[in-house]
């Protein structure tokens, strides 16, 4: 029996532009930027737009055209006077759109060492850091093998005097796996967001942090289906799935492994679990200039918190002053994760060596028995 399996390979030509179409006298506020990353396929285009006007947000728009383009009415966008100042034209080509917005960083005094903000008294929470009020710096790095956009920001407070919150966006032309842990597998229809909190002075010795973000979906919802579901697709992998009911059948996702790291170049001992709260529907759209500019109608908005640490964990944020977390954002079929080559080698060596010893030992015992039988004199009748 011969079984042949065919796998769809998505390849896109990725390009990037900063503040497309912005010309004087229109000027963005200091530190604010809009980055458009365009993934051109054979018969479709995937647009990623990252912007830090207000709360930082990533907009994902998929079209069935290779000629679709992002257009910005900059005077209206800068003044945030009305919606519709950012469009993807032709609008009839848009098959799917969603936005992920990072809204707050929560800090709480984990005096009972539960690492669970849902079970923590409200009085143990410090005032949250509102990301819409942060001051940001933006850096775009593009070469033949990598395209990244990095946002780093903070408040003018003592806590962020020597620290920052950073979001690093990466786009991909084809399937692969990130070298850095957690080594998420990606394809050309996905992007990666790496988030880290570095050098921030905690407001308590037992402080832990949680990240709040929201998803805005510009889809038509069928009455008998939720627009967003939560499911497990692999062991230790969590995923949001947004399920628009339309003729294209396009599905978007946000995917991550429930693990965070306490050092920038971590080893295994630097890993710590992370967990998410229940997915909740939110009535108000987030305070993001990008979301307010793109969605002409109020999008379906959902909220989630990601918290870091585990029950009875002796290590708090103050011990390392660093925590990082990574997720994938994309559309279509999520990239199928599998064992890396290194893990396959480890498993092969780990299982193969004992098996080889058992086989060699068995052969040796068999030979010794044969030799002992052959050396015994047989009785003569």
């Amino acid at each position: 029996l011969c079984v042949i399996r065919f796998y769809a390979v998505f390849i896109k030509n990725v390009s990037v532009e900063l503040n497309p179409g912005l010309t004087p006298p229109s000027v963005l506020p200091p530190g604010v930027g809009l980055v458009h990353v365009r993934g051109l396929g054979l018969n479709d285009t995937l647009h990623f737009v990252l912007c830090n006007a207000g709360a930082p947000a990533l907009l994902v728009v998929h079209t069935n055209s290779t000629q679709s383009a992002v257009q910005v009415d900059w005077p209206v966008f800068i003044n945030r006077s009305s919606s519709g100042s950012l469009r993807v034209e032709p609008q009839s080509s848009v098959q799917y759109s969603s936005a992920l917005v990072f809204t707050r960083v929560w800090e709480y005094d984990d005096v009972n060492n539960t690492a669970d903000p849902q079970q923590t008294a409200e009085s143990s929470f410090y005032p949250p850091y509102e990301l819409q009020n942060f001051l940001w710096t933006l850096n775009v790095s593009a070469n033949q093998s990598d395209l990244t956009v990095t946002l780093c920001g903070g408040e003018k407070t003592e806590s962020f005097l020597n620290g920052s919150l950073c979001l690093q966006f990466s786009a991909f032309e084809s399937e692969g796996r990130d070298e850095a842990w957690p080594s998420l597998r990606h394809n050309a229809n996905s992007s990666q967001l790496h988030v880290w909190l570095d050098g921030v002075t905690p407001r308590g010795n037992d402080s832990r942090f949680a990240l709040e973000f929201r998803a805005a979906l510009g889809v038509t919802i069928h009455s008998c289906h939720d627009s967003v579901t939560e499911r497990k697709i692999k062991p230790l992998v969590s995923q949001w799935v947004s399920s628009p009911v339309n003729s294209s059948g396009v599905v978007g996702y946000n995917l991550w492994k429930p693990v965070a790291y306490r050092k920038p170049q971590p080893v295994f001992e630097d890993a710590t679990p992370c967990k998410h709260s229940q997915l909740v529907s939110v009535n108000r759209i987030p305070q993001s200039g990008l979301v307010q500019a793109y969605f002409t109608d109020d999008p379906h908005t959902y909220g989630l918190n990601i918290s870091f640490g585990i029950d009875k964990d002796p290590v708090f944020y103050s011990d390392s002053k660093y925590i990082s977390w990574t997720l994938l954002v994309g559309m279509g079929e999520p990239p199928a994760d599998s064992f890396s080559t290194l893990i396959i080698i480890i498993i092969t060596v780990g299982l193969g060596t004992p098996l080889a010893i058992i086989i060699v030992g068995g052969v040796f015992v068999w030979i010794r028995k044969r030799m002992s039988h052959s050396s015994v004199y047989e009785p003569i009748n």
Side-chain angles (χ1 to χ4, degrees):
L1 176 63
C2 178
V3 179
I4 302 177
R5 294 180 178 176
F6 294 92
Y7 296 92
V9 178
F10 299 102
I11 298 177
K12 282 185 166 56
N13 182 16
V14 177
S15 59
V16 61
E17 54 183 342
L18 177 63
N19 303 326
L22 179 64
T23 56
S26 298
V27 179
L28 284 168
V32 174
L34 187 148
V35 181
H36 172 220
V37 177
R38 185 172 184 257
L40 180 63
L42 293 176
N43 52 17
D44 68 339
T45 304
L46 190 57
H47 299 272
F48 295 103
V49 182
L50 184 69
C51 183
N52 61 334
L58 174 65
L59 174 69
V60 182
V61 181
H62 176 249
T63 72
N64 61 5
S65 169
T66 57
Q67 303 299 318
S68 60
V70 170
Q71 297 182 3
V72 185
D73 185 338
W74 283 107
V76 178
F77 180 88
I78 293 171
N79 294 328
R80 297 171 69 170
S81 54
S82 65
S83 61
S85 59
L86 186 146
R87 304 182 307 278
V88 173
E89 296 287 357
Q91 295 186 20
S92 59
S93 68
V94 175
Q95 303 295 293
Y96 170 83
S97 61
S98 69
L100 192 66
V101 187
F102 293 86
T103 50
R104 291 189 181 101
V105 171
W106 291 93
E107 181 181 356
Y108 64 99
D109 189 13
D110 192 15
V111 291
N112 296 321
N113 199 7
T114 63
D116 187 356
Q118 305 300 315
Q119 304 299 323
T120 302
E122 188 175 345
S123 59
S124 295
F125 281 83
Y126 298 100
Y129 295 109
E130 300 285 350
L131 302 191
Q132 64 182 5
N133 299 327
F134 271 31
L135 301 176
W136 301 92
T137 59
L138 186 149
N139 180 60
V140 179
S141 174
N143 53 50
Q144 292 183 347
S145 60
D146 194 18
L147 191 155
T148 61
V149 181
T150 305
L151 281 172
C152 288
E155 289 185 337
K156 289 185 176 180
T157 60
E158 185 177 345
S159 295
F160 280 88
L161 186 63
N162 297 306
S164 60
L165 172 71
C166 294
L167 294 83
Q168 186 176 75
F169 167 87
S170 300
F172 312 101
E173 292 191 335
S174 59
E175 187 173 343
R177 186 186 297 275
D178 193 26
E179 293 182 1
W181 284 8
S183 299
L184 295 178
R185 192 169 188 83
H186 58 256
N187 59 30
N189 285 334
S190 61
S191 63
Q192 179 172 284
L193 280 170
H194 181 53
V195 186
W196 67 91
L197 197 65
D198 184 18
V200 175
T201 302
R203 289 172 280 188
N205 293 330
D206 299 331
S207 283
R208 296 194 191 278
F209 288 88
L211 180 64
E212 176 188 299
F213 58 96
R214 298 182 185 180
L217 305 175
V219 297
T220 301
I221 307 304
H222 194 277
S223 60
C224 63
H225 291 86
D226 291 331
S227 63
V228 176
T229 59
E230 178 190 333
R231 67 182 182 182
K232 300 287 184 179
I233 63 169
K234 291 269 184 187
L236 299 182
V237 177
S238 298
Q239 181 184 18
W240 278 2
V241 180
S242 56
S243 304
V245 180
N246 56 26
S247 58
S248 65
V250 177
V251 176
Y253 60 83
N254 300 300
L255 181 149
W256 65 89
K257 292 182 179 180
V259 62
Y261 297 95
R262 295 190 178 103
K263 290 185 180 178
Q265 284 80 40
V267 295
F268 180 78
E269 292 78 10
D270 301 319
T272 184
C274 65
K275 54 188 173 184
H276 62 272
S277 64
Q278 291 295 320
L279 197 65
V280 296
S281 178
V282 181
N283 293 327
R284 295 174 54 190
I285 66 172
Q287 294 298 309
S288 161
L290 181 60
V291 170
Q292 295 169 353
Y294 177 77
F295 293 101
T296 54
D297 298 320
D298 287 345
H300 301 272
T301 306
Y302 297 83
L304 192 77
N305 293 334
I306 298 289
S307 57
F308 310 107
I310 192 172
D311 185 29
K312 305 306 178 186
D313 188 350
V315 180
F316 293 87
Y317 178 81
S318 58
D319 296 310
S320 64
K321 289 190 176 181
Y322 184 91
I323 196 75
S324 70
W325 174 70
T326 306
L327 77 158
L328 289 182
V329 181
M331 49 70 58
E333 185 67 24
D337 209 344
S338 59
F339 290 116
S340 66
T341 305
L342 177 60
I343 293 177
I344 293 174
I345 293 173
I346 292 173
I347 292 175
T348 303
V349 173
L351 297 179
T353 302
L355 183 61
I357 293 174
I358 292 172
I359 294 173
V360 172
V363 172
F364 178 75
V365 172
W366 180 78
I367 294 174
R368 286 294 301 271
K369 286 185 176 181
R370 293 283 296 178
M371 291 177 63
S372 63
H373 284 307
S374 62
S375 63
V376 176
Y377 290 103
E378 297 291 336
I380 300 177
N381 294 326

